[in-house]
Amino acid sequence: KNEVEQSPQNLTAQEGEFITINCSYSVGISALHWLQQHPGGGIVSLFMLSSGKKKHGRLIATINIQEKHSSLHITASHPRDSAVYICAAGRNEKLTFGTGTRLTIIP
Amino acid sequence: DVKVTQSSRYLVKRTGEKVFLECVQDMDHENMFWYRQDPGLGLRLIYFSYDVKMKEKGDIPEGYSVSREKKERFSLILESASTNQTSMYLCASTSYAGSSYNEQFFGPGTRLTVL
């Protein structure tokens, strides 16, 4: 069993839909990271959180430390949100990555 | 704009060749990382460095070595490339913020094909 599990692996939705991507981890963490990877490879950090909830524009990340679970939500999804979203468990400077969720938003 | 750059976006090499992948960051970060990314496996840590001339093995160091002679530059070396090292290679850096580490900044990646 991987230390970081994401679901779903693939998600296709219509523009405007509310999106939820889930991440479960089995290791102790200092922070949980959400990353975005567009076609072509570049990876951008979206959130780093160790408790509660963070919001940036239409993106919201939550974490439940007791349940070792985090969610990434996208409100009013748009085709430009199409990307791979990666969850990573951070233990100090090192990250252990999930295999990613490929999100496709159809206009 | 903060930046992590990598020497090549695409590279094609022959089996047995020595391959150098270079990464440069302009953020004065202490920590630098080399990952490889393969379909279905996600990103896996090859090596990381927490200071000049300091390095530590990651999860999959076999077949690789690294060099960090200057703070801004971290090189990944494939001593004798093999076909199973065909992959996307990503460099990243981060800094220590007193009581925790900050987010990692990633380079654009190098897609290496070994024939």
Side-chain angles (χ1 to χ4, degrees):
Chain A
K1 192 179 187 297
N2 292 333
E3 293 180 335
V4 180
E5 299 269 2
Q6 284 185 242
S7 63
Q9 285 189 308
N10 294 282
L11 179 56
T12 300
Q14 293 286 336
E15 182 174 355
E17 284 190 46
F18 181 82
I19 303 298
T20 296
I21 299 170
N22 294 300
C23 175
S24 296
Y25 55 93
S26 58
V27 295
I29 63 167
S30 49
L32 192 286
H33 299 245
W34 282 102
L35 308 157
Q36 182 192 56
Q37 185 173 30
H38 278 285
I43 293 177
V44 174
S45 177
L46 297 174
F47 294 103
M48 189 175 79
L49 64 166
S50 53
S51 65
K53 179 176 166 178
K54 285 191 175 181
K55 185 174 190 287
H56 182 68
R58 294 180 294 105
L59 272 61
I60 303 164
T62 63
I63 188 168
N64 184 318
I65 298 292
Q66 286 73 29
E67 294 188 3
K68 295 189 173 177
H69 181 269
S70 176
S71 293
L72 177 68
H73 305 286
I74 305 175
T75 61
S77 59
H78 189 276
R80 65 174 174 265
D81 297 325
S82 297
V84 175
Y85 291 84
I86 302 168
C87 164
R91 283 171 286 179
N92 297 318
E93 73 280 2
K94 292 175 72 175
L95 300 182
T96 301
F97 298 84
T99 53
T101 294
R102 184 175 298 277
L103 175 65
T104 304
I105 303 298
I106 300 169
Chain B
D1 227 11
V2 295
K3 258 203 173 125
V4 180
T5 57
Q6 294 184 225
S7 48
S8 306
R9 289 303 305 270
Y10 299 94
L11 210 50
V12 180
K13 295 291 181 181
R14 297 268 178 205
T15 301
E17 282 193 77
K18 191 168 186 174
V19 182
F20 293 87
L21 302 181
E22 289 229 311
C23 174
V24 178
Q25 50 95 2
D26 64 0
M27 297 165 279
D28 202 36
H29 285 170
E30 305 86 7
N31 302 280
M32 297 186 73
F33 307 82
W34 275 107
Y35 300 99
R36 64 177 281 177
Q37 184 179 32
D38 301 288
L41 295 177
L43 284 95
R44 292 178 292 165
L45 180 63
I46 304 171
Y47 267 97
F48 73 100
S49 169
Y50 51 91
D51 203 349
V52 174
K53 296 193 188 292
M54 307 302 283
K55 61 187 179 185
E56 279 201 26
K57 292 180 181 179
D59 301 316
I60 50 164
E62 297 79 19
Y64 304 94
S65 61
V66 290
S67 171
R68 191 159 180 209
E69 296 296 318
K70 293 186 177 182
K71 190 175 185 181
E72 67 270 18
R73 191 178 299 268
F74 190 34
S75 300
L76 180 70
I77 303 150
L78 287 66
E79 294 289 343
S80 176
S82 64
T83 54
N84 62 14
Q85 292 178 310
T86 292
S87 187
M88 170 72 94
Y89 290 88
L90 289 138
C91 174
S93 70
T94 189
S95 59
Y96 185 63
S99 60
S100 63
Y101 287 87
N102 288 319
E103 63 187 302
Q104 292 195 9
F105 290 87
F106 286 82
T110 296
R111 188 166 293 281
L112 172 67
T113 302
V114 182
L115 301 175

